[in-house]
Amino acid sequence: MRVLVLGGTGAMGEPLVRMLVERGDKIYVTSRRKRQDKGSVHYIQGDAHNLSFIKQELSKNYDAIVDFMIYSTADFRDRSKLYLNSTGQYIFLSSARVYADSKKPITENSPRLLDVCKDEDYLKTDEYALAKARSENMLFESDHKNWTIIRPYITYNTKRLQLGGLELGTWLTASLSGRPLVLPKDVGKHQTTMTHGDDVARAMAALIGNNKAFGEAFHITGNEHMKWREVAEVYMEVLEEKIGSGVEIYEPETSKGLSGIMGNSAQIRYDRTYNRVFDNAKLLSVCGANFDFTIMRNGLRQCMTDYLNLPESKKFNTLNPVFHAWLDKSTGKKCSSRGMVSTMDKLKYFGYFYAPDLMAALKKTIKKY
């Protein structure tokens, strides 16, 4: 098969490309930066959000398109028919964040936020979960059935390990610079499901070119679940083994302050404070009952260990000055810009530590003009 992968250089894309090559497919991957071709993997330099660029590429007759890109509802409306008309199978990467809260294990037929949420202000936005669900609707309502919707949930690998609503570059660099891990209690008490990127890729590979996947949606999620507090404990165990001393954790009662400075209030309210437990029966009916997932605790430990062995884990050039100012102020720590590389980051840190309201007002004023 000739497979076009849009944005396939992340936690799911890289292992998927490798697996498709191993089974004999010819892979073409779009990338913003120039990359060297490797065997059956051909890189196409260009912006996959650029419609003119995409139209040019789709004229080359691909058997399947795997789309890892993130679109607004309006952007996807401009290209959904184009994709469906240009290939034998279009694989749309949605997200299991589309689902509403559920007291039962989530199936592909469980209610979505877009369909049941009563928050009118939220529904007026095009927030990630809503944009994904609206894009799904365009496929559901299409006359074509050559699409497959994939809904992964919190995919991790060596360079992507989340803690609640925080990415690796935020929570881990804080700990490595002598600060505590941060996990609000309203998130920490809830169950989450985290899936190794290789497992998601294997399942996707099994769906590409599979007639049973046409016109269907599948979530690809691990079989296990843990409380976020338990996930934090796994990270802490590995950190303590590596740095040789105890690691503290800061657990404010709610996520309000943290989500406010991180700008992810909707993600916290409509996902991380839900129990995310999934029923994989539909996926296994297509991929086979013997399809297995990496044991969650083992996978997280291994990826955490592998990351700490990388040279880049010793660098602090990804420190978020606003987050660290909030953290130090919230925990009563002495003001310290330790780990900040640039002068601008240091200035932001001191500004948000001593005058957060003034800095927030300045940011709004600058954004306005």
Side-chain angles (χ1 to χ4, degrees):
M1 293 179 66
R2 284 169 47 86
V3 182
L4 175 64
V5 183
L6 305 179
T9 57
M12 295 172 282
E14 287 187 351
L16 175 63
V17 168
R18 183 184 71 247
M19 293 172 191
L20 293 178
V21 167
E22 288 173 353
R23 78 179 192 184
D25 294 340
K26 291 184 178 180
I27 312 301
Y28 301 80
V29 183
T30 64
S31 174
R32 284 177 176 267
R33 67 182 180 86
K34 187 174 181 59
R35 293 171 180 260
Q36 188 66 38
D37 290 352
K38 296 179 182 179
S40 298
V41 182
H42 306 280
Y43 290 98
I44 307 165
Q45 185 177 13
D47 182 1
H49 277 119
N50 185 303
L51 200 52
S52 297
F53 167 74
I54 286 298
K55 286 180 178 179
Q56 181 180 346
E57 284 307 311
L58 294 184
S59 66
K60 298 177 183 178
N61 300 318
Y62 295 101
D63 299 305
I65 299 172
V66 182
D67 193 353
F68 286 99
M69 304 301 292
I70 297 175
Y71 303 104
S72 67
T73 300
D75 284 344
F76 192 70
R77 184 175 293 113
D78 289 340
R79 65 190 66 209
S80 58
K81 290 182 180 179
L82 175 65
Y83 289 143
L84 294 173
N85 287 328
S86 302
T87 189
Q89 184 185 20
Y90 172 63
I91 295 89
F92 175 68
L93 263 290
S94 183
S95 168
R97 270 193 60 199
V98 300
Y99 294 114
D101 196 8
S102 177
K103 294 181 179 180
K104 299 178 180 179
I106 296 169
T107 72
E108 285 79 0
N109 294 321
S110 293
R112 300 178 307 166
L113 275 168
L114 179 63
D115 305 319
V116 300
C117 183
K118 303 298 183 183
D119 184 345
E120 294 298 327
D121 289 335
Y122 176 58
L123 292 173
K124 289 176 183 177
T125 72
D126 205 33
E127 196 268 335
Y128 181 79
L130 299 179
K132 288 294 189 183
R134 288 166 181 149
S135 297
E136 288 185 357
N137 285 351
M138 295 179 208
L139 299 177
F140 290 142
E141 295 164 5
S142 170
D143 293 333
H144 294 72
K145 294 301 176 185
N146 59 326
W147 49 263
T148 301
I149 293 171
I150 306 296
R151 297 171 180 157
Y153 187 70
I154 308 189
T155 302
Y156 70 91
N157 66 5
T158 300
K159 296 184 180 181
R160 188 163 194 247
L161 292 161
Q162 292 179 301
L163 180 60
L166 299 177
E167 295 286 350
L168 178 70
T170 300
W171 69 263
L172 182 56
T173 50
S175 182
L176 293 176
S177 64
R179 296 171 170 93
L181 271 68
V182 183
L183 182 65
K185 291 182 179 179
D186 58 351
V187 172
K189 67 183 180 181
H190 285 93
Q191 300 282 344
T192 188
T193 300
M194 301 173 74
T195 315
H196 197 293
D198 285 9
D199 295 341
V200 177
R202 282 192 298 115
M204 288 181 64
L207 298 175
I208 296 171
N210 191 326
N211 290 334
K212 293 180 180 179
F214 283 41
E216 298 289 345
F218 300 87
H219 53 237
I220 302 180
T221 54
N223 290 324
E224 298 175 283
H225 48 88
M226 297 166 59
K227 289 183 178 179
W228 275 111
R229 185 59 167 82
E230 295 173 305
V231 172
E233 289 169 1
V234 173
Y235 294 154
M236 291 168 70
E237 289 172 5
V238 179
L239 274 170
E240 289 173 1
E241 292 170 6
K242 285 291 182 180
I243 65 179
S245 60
V247 178
E248 297 180 2
I249 184 168
Y250 172 52
E251 299 177 278
E253 290 297 324
T254 75
S255 298
K256 185 176 180 180
L258 179 58
S259 63
I261 63 107
M262 295 305 297
N264 62 348
S265 298
Q267 178 195 47
I268 300 300
R269 182 177 181 182
Y270 292 113
D271 183 67
R272 298 306 198 257
T273 51
Y274 292 166
N275 286 317
R276 291 308 204 183
V277 179
F278 298 88
D279 180 342
N280 273 322
K282 182 175 181 179
L283 176 70
L284 296 179
S285 70
V286 175
C287 295
N290 294 326
F291 187 95
D292 60 342
F293 289 90
T294 303
I295 295 172
M296 189 170 163
R297 178 178 293 274
N298 294 351
L300 291 173
R301 276 190 59 87
Q302 188 62 57
C303 287
M304 181 73 169
T305 301
D306 290 345
Y307 178 75
L308 291 174
N309 287 330
L310 295 175
E312 63 198 71
S313 70
K314 310 300 188 296
K315 300 177 181 179
F316 298 108
N317 57 359
T318 56
L319 284 176
N320 181 327
V322 182
F323 167 73
H324 287 84
W326 170 86
L327 177 57
D328 288 351
K329 195 174 184 69
S330 299
T331 55
K333 299 290 184 180
K334 182 180 178 181
C335 179
S336 171
S337 61
R338 178 174 181 263
M340 309 280 167
V341 176
S342 72
T343 301
M344 181 58 70
D345 280 351
K346 290 179 181 179
L347 290 173
K348 286 182 179 179
Y349 172 83
F350 287 119
Y352 276 97
F353 187 93
Y354 288 111
D357 292 339
L358 175 60
M359 293 295 288
L362 286 172
K363 183 178 180 180
K364 287 183 179 179
T365 301
I366 293 171
K367 188 176 181 180
K368 182 178 180 181
Y369 292 99

